[in-house]
Each structure stands twice: as C-alpha cells, then as structure tokens.
C-alpha cells in the first residue's frame, strides 16, 4: 500500500522480534526503506526478507546497541545503502522482573541500563549529524520506545524502571535541543504488549528464565501497538501513552499517588500468588 507520506529511510533497532519486527513490516507496506538492527542475524535477515516481499528495500545489520562500534557501523551501513537517514527508532530493549529483595545479581542494573538507555544514546549519537541534515521541509526524527514503566514506578521492576526512566530522561531533554535542528523526538509508552519480551527477560539472578510476573490478560496485540507507533511518527507526536488505562493511571497519580501505588502493590501481590500456585 503506497504511503500518503514520502518514502523515508528508517533505522530500527530491536527489529529481529516483537514490536520492532512488526513495525518494520508495517513501514515496509507503506513503501519506506529500512535498516534493521539486532544481534540475532538470522532472525533479522528473516524480517528483512519479509519486508522485501512487501516490495520494500530493507537491509539487516547485526548490531548490539551496547557496543559503540556496532552502532557506528549501523549508521555507516544505512548511509552506504540509502545515502541518508530520516527516522531513527530506538526500540531495542530488555526486560527484568524481580523485587528488590529477590535481586542477587546487582550487575543487572547496569546491564539493563546499557541496553535500554545507553543503546538509545549510542545510536542517537552516531545518527545525529545525518538527522540534522535530513532532507525535506521537516527535519529528521528520533523515536524512543520507552514503557509505562519509564513514566511511573512499577513494583517488582526497579531495574527495568531505572533503565527506562533514564531513557525517557535522555529523550525528554534531547527533544528541546533537537527542536532547533528541526528534529522531532517522539517518546512511546506502551503498556503490556503481546510479545516474547517477558520470556527474553532477566530474573533476579540475571538469567533469562522465561520470567513472567505480569498478568498478560488483555495485552495489546503487537500489530495494534505498531500501528499506533506508525501513526505517532507520521504525526510527529511528542509522546504516545498507549492505553486508556495507562493514560488514566498517569493522570490519577498526579492527584492520588498513594492510592495508585496501592493498586500497583496489590497487582504485584496477585501475580506473585498466581506464580506460586503454578
Ligand atoms: N512487550 C511489552 O509489553 C512492552 C511494554 C512496554 C515497552 N516495551 C518496549 O518495547 C521495546 C521492544 O520490546 P518487545 O516487546 O518487542 O521485546 P522483544 O520481543 O523481546 O524484542 C526485543 C528486541 O530487542 C533486541 N535487543 C535486545 N537486546 C539488544 C541489544 N543489546 N542490541 C540490539 N538489539 C537488542 C532483540 O533482538 P536480539 O535479541 O536479536 O538482539 C529484539 O529484536 C523494548 O524497548 C521494550 O522495553 C515492550
């Protein structure tokens, strides 16, 4: 389906699975050119192949966003292939579920921060000169896929919240500086989305243990999540808080923070009871 917008060059991190992969497919359908990044090259090539079957130009670049040289090479490859970058989507992320008491491996704080925050800084840093030079009436775009846990505290998720708040803080401050270069910054706050993120996530020992800890009933389908992100990018929105429940919760927290904290505490206790029963 041809886009009502001109074809742009998108760099998407974390494009081998979940939200990033679905976003790539939807952007491919709209005729955009894609540079897809993640560590699992085989999965990434498979997503690039699907995008090409939709008629889009797409390349796969193996990159770990915590490694500076990988991020530099990612941006270089985008320029070699397409000569410019219009939109950088910082989507790569890793999750973790453990209460503070359950944490045994304290390096998990740094590990999550390196992916969820530093990864965004690294890619933005190398793409920045080209986003400033993005052709067209309007400038380049930076998108950050944060989380509701990057906007409000969630019990059992101090590690994830710390890394996502850091990513949010970076993007919120950058937005103000970016405006003078014509670059817009869109921060996306999904709620629970039906992807494998909880299976890929870490536990308190720092191991990928297929942790859940979250009630996934009513999780947003990934195609719906990606569609909302595409629209937010096209509309150059400042932010997208994804669910009505999320928007209501953030609003309510301004007036009754203790009450909202209590609700979150009760939700964690319910999930823990469910886990123990399994
Ligand atoms: N799903 C949800 O409920 C939810 C809710 C709120 C926010 N989010 C956020 O949405 C984003 C996407 O999550 P998802 O649900 O799609 O998760 P996912 O299915 O687990 O996908 C995560 C993606 O990030 C990539 N990734 C992880 N570590 C990386 C690294 N060091 N360098 C490069 N790529 C890396 C993974 O690819 P490789 O393993 O191949 O590197 C994968 O492509 C994340 O930032 C997440 O925090 C998700």
């Amino acid at each position: 389906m041809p886009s009502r917008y001109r074809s742009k060059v998108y760099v998407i991190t974390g494009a081998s699975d979940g939200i990033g992969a679905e976003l790539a497919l939807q952007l491919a359908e709209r005729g955009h050119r894609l540079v897809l990044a993640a560590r699992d090259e085989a999965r990434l090539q498979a997503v690039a192949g699907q995008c090409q079957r939709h008629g889009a130009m797409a390349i796969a670049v193996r990159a770990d966003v915590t490694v500076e040289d990988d991020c530099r090479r990612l941006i270089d490859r985008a320029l070699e292939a397409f000569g410019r970058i219009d939109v950088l989507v910082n989507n790569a992320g890793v999750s973790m579920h453990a209460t503070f008491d359950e944490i045994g491996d304290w390096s998990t704080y740094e590990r999550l921060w390196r992916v969820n925050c530093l990864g965004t800084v690294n890619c933005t840093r190398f793409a920045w000169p080209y986003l400033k030079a993005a052709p067209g009436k309007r400038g380049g775009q930076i998108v950050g896929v944060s989380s509701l846990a990057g906007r409000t505290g969630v019990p059992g998720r101090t590690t994830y919240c710390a890394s996502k708040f850091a990513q949010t803080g970076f993007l919120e401050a950058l937005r103000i500086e970016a405006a003078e270069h014509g670059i817009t910054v869109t921060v996306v706050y999904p709620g629970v989305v039906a992807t494998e993120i909880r299976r890929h996530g870490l536990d308190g020992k720092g191991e990928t243990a297929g942790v859940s800890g979250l009630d996934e009933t009513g999780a947003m389908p990934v195609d719906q999540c990606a569609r909302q992100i595409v629209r937010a990018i096209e509309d150059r929105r400042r932010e997208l808080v994804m669910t009505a429940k999320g928007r209501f919760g953030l609003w309510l927290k301004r007036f009754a923070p203790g009450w909202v904290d209590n609700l979150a505490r009760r939700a964690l206790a319910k999930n823990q009871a469910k886990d123990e029963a399994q």
Side-chain angles (χ1 to χ4, degrees):
M1 181 180 61
S3 171
R4 65 190 168 103
Y5 297 87
R6 70 185 166 85
S7 166
K8 290 184 175 179
V9 177
Y10 279 73
V11 176
I12 307 172
T13 67
S16 64
D17 208 349
I19 296 170
E22 178 62 29
L23 193 59
L25 291 178
Q26 293 191 16
L27 291 167
E29 284 171 4
R30 298 167 96 81
H32 295 295
R33 287 162 285 170
L34 306 169
V35 181
L36 309 180
R39 294 163 305 172
D40 184 333
E41 201 161 7
R43 290 191 74 120
L44 207 53
Q45 289 290 0
V47 177
Q50 279 179 285
C51 292
Q52 287 156 1
R53 284 191 285 284
H54 282 299
M57 292 169 79
I59 61 164
V61 182
R62 204 212 70 81
D64 180 334
V65 294
T66 68
V67 178
E68 270 187 36
D69 281 349
D70 281 13
C71 298
R72 186 185 289 113
R73 200 170 49 84
L74 167 65
I75 300 305
D76 287 350
R77 290 288 310 281
L79 291 163
E80 275 162 31
F82 301 121
R84 68 187 222 205
I85 298 169
D86 297 292
V87 188
L88 168 67
V89 183
N90 291 295
N91 165 75
V94 63
S95 188
M96 175 157 168
H97 292 263
T99 63
F100 198 61
D101 267 335
E102 288 164 346
I103 292 172
D105 177 355
W106 297 95
S107 75
T108 47
Y109 281 92
E110 186 177 335
R111 279 171 66 188
L112 256 75
W113 176 81
R114 290 183 72 79
V115 181
N116 294 345
C117 180
L118 190 65
T120 295
V121 177
N122 282 339
C123 294
T124 302
R125 167 185 161 197
F126 294 114
W128 183 249
Y130 308 102
L131 291 168
K132 284 204 275 190
K137 265 195 284 186
R138 306 183 77 181
Q141 290 180 257
I142 296 168
V143 180
V145 181
S146 179
S147 167
L148 282 177
R151 260 304 262 278
T152 188
V154 181
R157 314 211 62 200
T158 58
T159 343
Y160 186 65
C161 282
S163 67
K164 285 292 185 181
F165 267 72
Q167 180 196 27
T168 301
F170 166 68
L171 292 168
E172 284 290 313
L174 186 71
R175 178 189 291 119
I176 304 164
E177 295 183 24
E180 67 190 66
H181 303 292
I183 299 173
T184 43
V185 175
T186 300
V187 188
V188 177
Y189 301 98
V192 182
V193 183
T195 69
E196 293 300 309
I197 191 166
R198 283 157 285 278
R199 255 68 59 190
H200 299 153
L202 304 183
D203 64 11
K205 297 189 205 95
E207 284 162 14
T208 305
V211 283
S212 174
L214 253 188
D215 184 359
E216 293 187 45
T217 318
M220 180 182 281
V222 70
D223 60 325
Q224 193 181 326
C225 170
R227 238 186 335 271
Q228 287 197 28
I229 297 176
V230 170
R231 209 173 312 128
I233 297 172
E234 289 180 343
D235 293 346
R236 286 184 179 255
R237 281 182 58 177
R238 179 185 178 87
E239 66 172 37
L240 168 66
V241 179
M242 230 165 234
T243 63
K245 195 172 153 193
R247 287 188 290 276
F248 180 65
L250 291 180
W251 175 82
L252 192 61
K253 193 153 183 177
R254 287 191 284 168
F255 306 104
W259 198 69
V260 175
D261 285 357
N262 261 330
L263 284 181
R265 195 175 298 119
R266 265 188 266 152
L268 176 70
K270 200 170 129 197
N271 278 323
Q272 284 171 331
K274 208 168 74 184
D275 279 353
E276 275 162 25
Q278 278 168 2

